[in-house]
């Protein structure tokens, strides 16, 4: 299996995991929240409308976990790769995701809430562990290509969920604002990842 | 500076004094917001100060004229200022996010 096929499968799998988690959390409670749920419901299919709504504590947990996962990928890349594009990107990921996650921690402290572990966070972590194991077996060009492909797929998948699920679903306006600023950052990363993929070919 | 401007506004200074103070160095603020420099281009006079204010949630790092001048890492909410001591026009980027581009030129 070539790298492209692998990365495409990974991306597909990642999307399936994210979407799967969205629908595997229990019964829908559309009545729980009037405004935001109603607005987003009109754009959903019947099947999606039956999906449970993530609460703010779960969204905060998933978003933090997603950032922490990317930081771990970056540390692995810094340790194993010598490709300047990869090293540069990995440093950017550590710097930016640390900044965003620190903002999230500060907000959590301010609101005196505890983010809630959930099926989606757990699946993200499990999948990330598999990818780290895979990356750790690779060196040189193969590692650079695989890291680059994974970063692009990961940012595309996470950005899609943050934009289309987390931001419309989040109830607390400060959480919503932080997710919006984070999405802006992650979209810049997605652009960088695209450029990195072209350079490590 | 603000005090003098205030006095000018109040008409306390004579015309001659106003002519002198009109060439006082100015401060130009460039906002770093949503991964862009705002305004992206400015015209300054030698001796003016440019202040870059980071309003994003991640750090930025300015490199002017391919590294001829460099800021320290500018964290969220922090700013960095530089006195313009050369004439000409100078492009700059953020080293961390090189798609961020700006420029200043002296009049
Ligand atoms: Cu930057």
């Amino acid at each position: 299996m070539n790298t492209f096929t692998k990365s495409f499968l990974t991306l597909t799998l990642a999307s399936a995991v994210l979407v799967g988690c969205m629908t595997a959390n229990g019964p829908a409670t559309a009545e729980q929240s009037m405004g935001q749920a109603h607005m987003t419901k009109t754009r959903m299919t019947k099947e999606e409308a039956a999906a449970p709504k993530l609460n703010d504590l779960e969204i905060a947990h998933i978003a933090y976990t997603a950032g922490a996962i990317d930081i771990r990928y970056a540390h692995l890349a810094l340790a194993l790769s010598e490709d300047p594009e990869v090293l540069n990107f990995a440093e950017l990921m550590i710097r930016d995701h640390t900044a965003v996650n620190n903002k999230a921690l500060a907000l959590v402290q301010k609101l005196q809430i505890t983010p809630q572990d959930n099926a989606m966070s757990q699946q993200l972590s499990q999948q990330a562990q598999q990818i780290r194991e895979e990356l750790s077996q690779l060196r040189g060009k193969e590692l650079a290509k695989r890291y680059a492909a994974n970063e692009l797929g990961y940012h595309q998948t996470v950005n899609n969920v943050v934009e289309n699920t987390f931001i419309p679903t989040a109830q607390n306006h400060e959480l919503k604002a932080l997710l919006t600023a984070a999405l802006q950052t992650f979209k810049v990363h997605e652009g960088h990842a695209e450029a990195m993929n072209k350079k490590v070919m | 500076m603000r005090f003098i401007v205030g006095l000018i506004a109040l008409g306390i200074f004579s015309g001659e004094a106003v002519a002198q103070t009109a060439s006082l160095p100015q401060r130009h603020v460039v906002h770093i917001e949503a991964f862009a420099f705002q305004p992206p281009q400015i015209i300054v006079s030698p001796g003016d100060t440019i202040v870059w204010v980071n309003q994003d949630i991640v750090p930025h790092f300015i490199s002017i004229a391919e590294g001829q001048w460099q800021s320290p890492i500018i964290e969220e909410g922090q700013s960095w200022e530089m006195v313009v001591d050369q004439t000409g026009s100078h492009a700059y980027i953020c080293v961390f996010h090189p798609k961020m581009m700006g420029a200043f030129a002296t009049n």
Side-chain angles (χ1 to χ4, degrees):
Chain A
M1 198 167 16
N2 66 30
T3 307
F4 178 75
T5 315
K6 267 193 206 164
S7 61
F8 182 72
L9 283 177
T10 306
L11 175 56
T12 312
L13 176 65
S15 308
V17 167
L18 291 173
V19 173
C21 291
M22 296 299 190
T23 57
N25 262 357
T29 50
E31 301 85 353
Q32 275 181 353
S33 123
M34 307 296 281
Q36 213 62 38
H38 186 73
M39 278 168 63
T40 52
K41 226 169 104 179
T42 54
R43 289 200 305 271
M44 286 177 169
T45 65
K46 228 179 184 179
E47 198 180 332
E48 284 168 334
K53 229 165 67 64
L54 291 161
N55 68 41
D56 282 9
L57 302 179
E58 291 170 322
I59 290 173
H61 196 282
I62 299 163
Y64 189 89
T65 302
I69 284 171
D70 208 28
I71 291 170
R72 286 194 70 175
Y73 287 145
H75 280 294
L76 190 64
L78 284 184
L80 299 180
S81 180
E82 288 169 2
D83 186 301
E85 294 297 332
V86 165
L87 298 179
N88 200 28
F89 188 90
E91 280 169 4
L92 177 69
M93 291 307 104
I94 292 171
R95 195 186 304 118
D96 283 3
H97 284 290
T98 300
V100 172
N101 271 6
N102 285 344
K103 291 282 287 183
L105 285 181
L107 180 59
V108 159
Q109 278 173 2
K110 183 188 166 195
L111 298 175
Q112 296 189 306
I113 55 170
T114 307
Q116 220 170 62
D117 198 4
N118 59 86
M120 191 170 172
S121 290
Q122 286 164 16
Q123 291 210 37
L124 274 175
S125 296
Q126 280 166 19
Q127 201 205 357
Q129 194 183 337
Q130 286 172 16
I131 293 172
R132 282 198 305 273
E133 279 165 16
E134 190 191 330
L135 286 170
S136 66
Q137 304 301 314
L138 303 173
R139 294 296 182 274
K141 204 89 186 151
E142 288 307 310
L143 173 61
K145 283 183 185 175
R146 188 67 191 85
Y147 175 74
N150 185 56
E151 284 303 307
L152 180 57
Y154 188 68
H155 279 89
Q156 285 169 335
T157 306
V158 170
N159 289 352
N160 181 36
V161 175
V162 172
E163 183 164 22
N164 298 310
T165 303
F166 291 179
I167 293 173
T169 307
Q171 298 295 303
N172 179 280
H173 71 276
E174 283 180 282
L175 176 62
K176 208 186 267 284
L178 179 55
L179 288 166
T180 304
L183 178 64
Q184 198 170 59
T185 305
F186 303 161
K187 282 190 168 175
V188 170
H189 294 171
E190 190 179 322
H192 280 247
E194 276 171 19
M196 171 173 61
N197 271 274
K198 284 177 191 139
K199 286 173 187 163
V200 299
M201 274 303 160
Chain B
M1 168 78 185
R2 199 169 286 166
F3 176 68
I4 295 169
V5 172
L7 293 179
I8 295 165
L10 291 168
I12 291 171
F13 272 15
S14 69
E16 196 181 342
V18 170
Q20 280 170 5
T21 54
S23 62
L24 273 176
Q26 292 188 12
R27 286 172 75 82
H28 307 265
V29 175
V30 176
H31 300 272
I32 308 175
E33 199 174 7
F35 292 85
F37 297 107
Q38 209 51 253
Q41 280 132 26
I42 53 170
I43 303 290
V44 300
S45 299
D48 285 0
T49 298
I50 308 176
V51 188
W52 285 269
V53 185
N54 182 9
Q55 292 165 249
D56 280 336
I57 61 172
V58 297
H60 294 292
F61 177 26
I62 296 167
S63 173
I64 302 163
E66 292 175 346
Q68 214 173 322
W69 300 278
Q70 279 192 340
S71 73
I73 293 174
I74 311 171
E75 302 285 345
E76 177 200 10
Q78 291 186 348
S79 61
W80 175 63
E81 56 184 71
M82 186 191 81
V83 177
V84 179
D85 56 5
Q86 285 195 17
T87 55
S89 64
H90 303 284
Y92 60 88
I93 60 162
C94 169
V95 178
F96 294 157
H97 314 102
K99 283 179 186 164
M100 297 171 59
M101 289 181 280
F104 61 87
T106 51
N107 55 14

